Amino acid sequence: MINVDVLCNWYSKLRYAVRWNGALSAQFTVCSGVRQGSCLSPAIFNVFMNILIEQLKCLGIGCCVSSLFLGCILYADDILLLSPSITGLQNVR
């Protein structure tokens, strides 16, 4: 199991620059997201998504068809959150 402190340290030092038309921008810090191209990124994303889905289920947020929870639909990194009402997802605390 990977130490969480190592991951926090690794991700807290994300700095990028943009190359466009042969010019390189100044470096800037990235405060969210995962490292693009990292072999750990899909695993970290999956852990996060699993926690999100479980919390949606526990809070009763989203839609259910019979006993099947359909509070969110996922495809790759696209996420569709579902609610039976407009205010359903706005009431989360």
Side-chain angles (χ1 to χ4, degrees):
M1 184 96 185
I2 295 176
N3 188 324
V4 174
D5 291 334
V6 171
L7 287 176
C8 288
N9 184 284
W10 189 39
Y11 276 90
S12 70
K13 297 176 180 171
L14 289 176
R15 295 189 52 80
Y16 287 96
V18 176
R19 183 181 310 272
W20 188 58
N21 279 344
L24 190 63
S25 73
Q27 288 189 354
F28 55 94
T29 302
V30 177
C31 299
S32 63
V34 295
R35 289 182 179 261
Q36 295 297 307
S38 168
C39 61
L40 284 177
S41 295
I44 293 170
F45 179 79
N46 288 339
V47 168
F48 169 77
M49 290 311 301
N50 189 54
I51 293 168
L52 173 68
I53 293 167
E54 290 301 320
Q55 286 183 350
L56 289 173
K57 281 175 157 178
C58 289
L59 293 170
I61 297 169
C63 298
C64 289
V65 176
S66 294
S67 61
L68 180 64
F69 174 72
L70 294 174
C72 60
I73 297 174
L74 307 165
Y75 181 78
D77 63 349
D78 296 321
I79 305 163
L80 175 64
L81 296 175
L82 302 173
S83 176
S85 69
I86 293 172
T87 59
L89 293 176
Q90 296 173 341
N91 293 330
V92 179
R93 303 258 183 259

